[in-house]
Amino acid sequence: MLRMHLAGTTAALFACTLAAQAQQAASPPFATTKVTDNVYIFRYGGHQSMFIVTPAGVIATDPISERRPAKPYVDAIQAVTKAPIKYVVYSHSHFDHIAGGKPFKDLGATFVAHKNAKARIAALKPDDVVIPDQVVDSKRNITLGGTTLELNYVGKNHSDNTLVMRLPKEKIIFTVDWIPIQGVQFREMADTYVPDIEEGLKKVIAMDWETLIPGHPGPGGKQTTDNAREQLAYLQDLSAAVKNAVNENKSYADAQKEIKLPKYEAWPNYNAFLPMNIERYFDFWNRGI
Ligand SMILES: [Zn+2]
């Protein structure tokens, strides 16, 4: 019996490995996608950034080159235009998105981030993160070659320094790690401010835009205001369910075992991350953390 079980587990692991290899073989390590005439997505592994091309230069965002060369990103931009890379704007301070900017700095780019992001980076001094040259407080516009990019701060959410970058003419927003395309929140929602994230989502939903570019590709499909509405609904449903469990004196373990949100069960990582998302809201309702 034990041997059969082990054999089954080994076969399942082997099947998973094959599936993962097939997926890796199917998707190249990086890719550039044109969104509009002047706006592109650069995907690098499981991360992605937006870059904007104008006659006067390029506005790039997150270098997404932690522990890997930034050259593919620089090459992707230079394959579209020979105009100089004028700016690199950080979405927020997390290293997996902002590391690896030195080649952009060497080409003369000005680095911009929220003021709290600069403070965090300056305090932690990670080796491979360029310290921002300029900061944003509540709002700033960058206008270059006839294109305006708004840098909006809508409060604390997935960090205390997340920017919502909006192209008003193109009706596109780029914001990272807190409005996934049909996804639960990442693991235990580290660095996430509850309930501020729900207020931030309401502010983003109220903005004028049509297309969302997230920092991870997700399962693909539509990238619209619906994604922001669905994420707000998910967090509100999660919060209400966990609040009930706390009111009923449930333990962490029982809340994690008993709370199901079937509306969202088709989302990637639902089974893996929902218990961790529950723990984050349990801390909030139980301890005010
Ligand atoms: Zn992040």
Side-chain angles (χ1 to χ4, degrees):
M1 189 60 205
L2 180 63
R3 189 185 294 169
M4 272 178 65
H5 176 71
L6 281 174
T9 307
T10 309
L13 276 174
F14 185 61
C16 283
T17 308
L18 281 182
Q21 282 171 349
Q23 201 173 15
Q24 274 177 357
S27 76
F30 45 82
T32 306
T33 308
K34 190 170 185 172
V35 184
T36 67
D37 278 347
N38 57 339
V39 180
Y40 295 79
I41 297 171
F42 175 69
R43 180 188 62 76
Y44 199 176
H47 289 72
Q48 58 185 21
S49 289
M50 172 179 76
F51 65 92
I52 304 150
V53 175
T54 83
V58 175
I59 305 171
T61 61
D62 299 342
I64 52 171
S65 297
E66 187 181 39
R67 298 186 201 100
R68 56 188 179 183
K71 189 171 185 308
Y73 189 4
V74 174
D75 287 350
I77 293 171
Q78 292 180 342
V80 173
T81 178
K82 296 296 173 220
I85 302 170
K86 291 279 195 187
Y87 293 97
V88 172
V89 186
Y90 288 162
S91 62
H92 66 306
S93 62
H94 296 166
F95 306 159
D96 61 315
H97 291 273
I98 64 171
K102 189 169 178 298
F104 294 84
K105 188 81 222 159
D106 292 344
L107 290 169
T110 298
F111 281 59
V112 184
H114 187 262
K115 62 174 186 172
N116 295 345
K118 179 167 182 173
R120 181 112 182 118
I121 296 160
L124 296 177
K125 296 191 180 62
D127 286 344
D128 51 350
V129 174
V130 172
I131 295 183
D133 304 298
Q134 299 179 1
V135 296
V136 185
D137 188 351
S138 60
K139 184 167 178 170
R140 176 187 161 180
N141 285 355
I142 292 177
T143 299
L144 184 70
T147 296
T148 297
L149 176 68
E150 278 179 6
L151 310 179
N152 298 290
Y153 181 65
V154 297
K156 297 173 181 177
N157 40 61
H158 164 82
S159 71
D160 70 354
N161 57 65
T162 309
L163 293 176
V164 179
M165 301 181 212
R166 190 176 80 100
L167 288 155
K169 199 167 75 190
E170 296 81 356
K171 295 190 189 283
I172 290 170
I173 63 166
F174 173 65
T175 192
V176 169
D177 277 354
W178 64 299
I179 316 182
I181 303 293
Q182 298 189 317
V184 298
Q185 292 284 317
F186 184 64
R187 297 183 65 90
E188 76 280 18
M189 300 173 70
D191 206 12
T192 294
Y193 294 80
V194 172
D196 314 57
I197 186 170
E198 295 168 35
E199 296 312 306
L201 277 162
K202 290 174 195 167
K203 288 181 192 167
V204 172
I205 290 165
M207 290 178 181
D208 183 19
W209 58 278
E210 290 168 357
T211 303
L212 163 69
I213 299 175
H216 301 276
K222 63 186 169 54
Q223 298 180 197
T224 67
T225 50
D226 286 348
N227 297 119
R229 289 197 187 86
E230 285 167 2
Q231 188 57 216
L232 177 60
Y234 165 69
L235 291 176
Q236 289 172 332
D237 290 348
L238 171 67
S239 180
V242 176
K243 187 181 182 191
N244 272 342
V246 168
N247 288 344
E248 290 169 5
N249 289 322
K250 295 272 163 81
S251 65
Y252 280 88
D254 283 345
Q256 287 173 314
K257 202 164 63 197
E258 291 169 19
I259 292 173
K260 305 283 175 219
L261 298 172
K263 244 166 61 183
Y264 311 101
E265 69 188 3
W267 287 3
N269 297 317
Y270 171 89
N271 288 318
F273 296 167
L274 179 65
M276 292 184 249
N277 287 189
I278 289 169
E279 183 159 343
R280 176 70 196 90
Y281 269 90
F282 201 102
D283 277 334
F284 173 68
W285 286 116
N286 195 39
R287 299 164 193 260
I289 300 173

